Amino acid sequence: MTQLRTVQVLGGGSAGSSAHVRSLASGLVARGVRVTVCAPAELDHAYDFRGAGAYFVPVPRLGGPATLAMLRNAFIGADVVHAHGLHASVRATLALAGGVRAPALVTTWHTRGHADGARGGLVRLLERRSVRAAAVVLGTSSELVDRARRRGARDARLAPVSVPASRAPVCLHDGKARAELGAVDRPLLMAVGALVPERGYGMLLDAARVWRDLDPQPLLVIAGEGRERAALQRRIEEEGLAVRLIGRRDDVAELLAAADVAVLTSRWESRSLLAQEALRLGVPLVATAVGGVPELVGDAAELVPWGDAEALATAVRGLLEDVDRRMDLAAAGRVQARTWPTEDETIAHVLSVYDELVGR
């Protein structure tokens, strides 16, 4: 049997999709598959696709004829092209257009775009074009599968997706980490993610204003970077909020393990990395009930409506004041995490889709 050849394509590369591709590359190579990863160069620095045994082709984030030519060259001889996210799917679709012996195209939707007006119409158009070009569309949540079907996907399936847990040793409620963050004698709340409007940090600061009458006042730490940093910092200073923005960190698992409560306030999520890490570690989670979050966490987290700062503040306050509830959620989180697909199951599923498409 000839060696199966696949090209994995990333566009902007969210943390979830990039970690997924790294895991896929490692697992597929171990099973004898030849893997090429096409992605912006900085993603290889962060996720080390080459270290997973894949060939790596640096592709600029910005599109254009030169980028499409690079992708076409990378696709030569491939059996399957697997694009991750809308950006990557559109580029892969354009690069494959007109090919005489084009490889099969698989698309995974890890998340969904949020846009209104003319931009929203453009997003829908791109979604339709990309899913109709794909032989199979894999969605990381039931909602994404339904969305792909509405856009005209010929074959849309729910995909088991596992992102590997941090392999660094962590210690729950680590005193050193809490001291570094300034939460030795006060509760520590932890949020992680890019500082962009979709993450809901404005609502999170509104909630921080509500719970600041607690004694001791909890410290909220947000790890991440983005275009909203200046506006958020200005609010924190003007309103005297006990909130710290600590930028990007490589030790998120360690910091999260030190927290009393993790907080996820996104407008939409599928398989949130923060939610997965918190439940695996046994850190109580308060999250917005959006997208695939309820499906992911089950009864192992406190869920609140998107945009409701009062409900968020009430849920956080309730957990800080109820040690037993926190312990129950910690135990439930570990149980829920054991129901998620493993890396082996994820890789086996993807490989079965590839084999199906190439008739192996």
Side-chain angles (χ1 to χ4, degrees):
M1 185 180 291
T2 58
Q3 184 182 34
L4 182 66
R5 294 164 294 179
T6 177
V7 180
Q8 307 288 320
V9 184
L10 282 164
S14 67
S17 59
S18 298
H20 176 57
V21 169
R22 209 299 181 173
S23 175
L24 271 186
S26 178
L28 291 171
V29 168
R31 288 161 175 78
V33 179
R34 179 186 173 105
V35 179
T36 298
V37 176
C38 297
E42 60 269 24
L43 292 184
D44 186 47
H45 298 318
Y47 293 92
D48 192 20
F49 302 117
R50 283 181 254 235
Y55 297 90
F56 181 72
V57 178
V59 178
R61 286 181 181 271
L62 297 177
T67 298
L68 294 181
M70 294 172 69
L71 289 174
R72 288 192 188 101
N73 287 335
F75 295 168
I76 293 174
D79 298 297
V80 178
V81 171
H82 191 162
H84 298 264
L86 180 60
H87 185 188
S89 299
V90 170
R91 296 168 94 176
T93 298
L94 292 173
L96 289 169
V100 178
R101 297 179 61 188
L105 175 61
V106 176
T107 291
T108 293
W109 278 10
H110 296 267
T111 186
R112 54 168 288 186
H114 291 280
D116 300 314
R119 181 171 172 78
L122 176 60
V123 169
R124 290 189 292 274
L125 176 64
L126 294 176
E127 288 177 344
R128 283 196 295 271
R129 178 164 186 176
S130 64
V131 300
R132 290 174 181 178
V136 175
V137 179
L138 302 175
T140 57
S141 71
S142 299
E143 183 179 335
L144 287 176
V145 173
D146 291 341
R147 184 181 178 92
R149 288 171 178 160
R150 290 197 303 272
R151 296 292 184 261
R154 291 174 285 168
D155 186 344
R157 312 177 189 180
L158 183 63
V161 174
S162 172
V163 175
S166 172
R167 289 177 170 81
V170 296
C171 177
L172 289 177
H173 302 289
D174 180 44
K176 182 179 178 181
R178 291 175 71 94
E180 178 204 337
L181 297 172
V184 175
D185 298 317
R186 63 199 308 189
L188 174 62
L189 313 176
M190 193 79 202
V192 181
L195 306 184
V196 294
E198 293 78 13
R199 291 291 184 178
Y201 291 134
M203 177 181 76
L204 186 52
L205 295 191
D206 291 341
R209 193 169 56 211
V210 174
W211 67 54
R212 63 182 170 185
D213 63 332
L214 290 175
D215 185 21
Q217 183 179 179
L219 173 67
L220 170 63
V221 174
I222 303 174
E225 200 54 82
R227 63 182 184 274
E228 279 207 310
R229 183 182 182 107
L232 292 172
Q233 187 62 50
R234 186 163 52 250
R235 271 200 65 183
I236 291 166
E237 294 171 359
E238 290 176 352
E239 298 176 27
L241 303 177
V243 180
R244 285 190 60 193
L245 306 179
I246 61 173
R248 290 191 183 92
R249 297 287 294 251
D250 295 326
D251 56 348
V252 166
E254 293 90 324
L255 298 179
L256 187 58
D260 297 288
V261 176
V263 187
L264 175 66
T265 54
S266 298
R267 178 181 177 185
W268 197 92
E269 291 277 357
S270 179
R271 298 186 67 85
S272 161
L273 293 182
L274 170 63
Q276 291 182 65
E277 197 71 75
L279 267 60
R280 281 175 176 142
L281 290 169
V283 177
L285 173 69
V286 177
T288 43
V290 296
V293 173
E295 187 176 16
L296 177 69
V297 304
D299 296 326
E302 295 280 2
L303 297 178
V304 298
W306 154 257
D308 191 336
E310 286 286 344
L312 175 63
T314 299
V316 170
R317 181 193 294 266
L319 284 181
L320 293 179
E321 294 175 344
D322 190 341
V323 176
D324 290 340
R325 176 59 178 160
R326 294 206 304 274
M327 292 178 65
D328 288 344
L329 280 182
R334 294 189 181 98
V335 172
Q336 180 71 8
R338 288 197 289 270
T339 70
W340 298 334
T342 65
E343 282 189 84
D344 281 346
E345 289 167 342
T346 296
I347 294 158
H349 176 265
V350 169
L351 188 54
S352 72
V353 173
Y354 295 171
D355 285 344
E356 175 187 334
L357 292 177
V358 301
R360 291 162 62 95

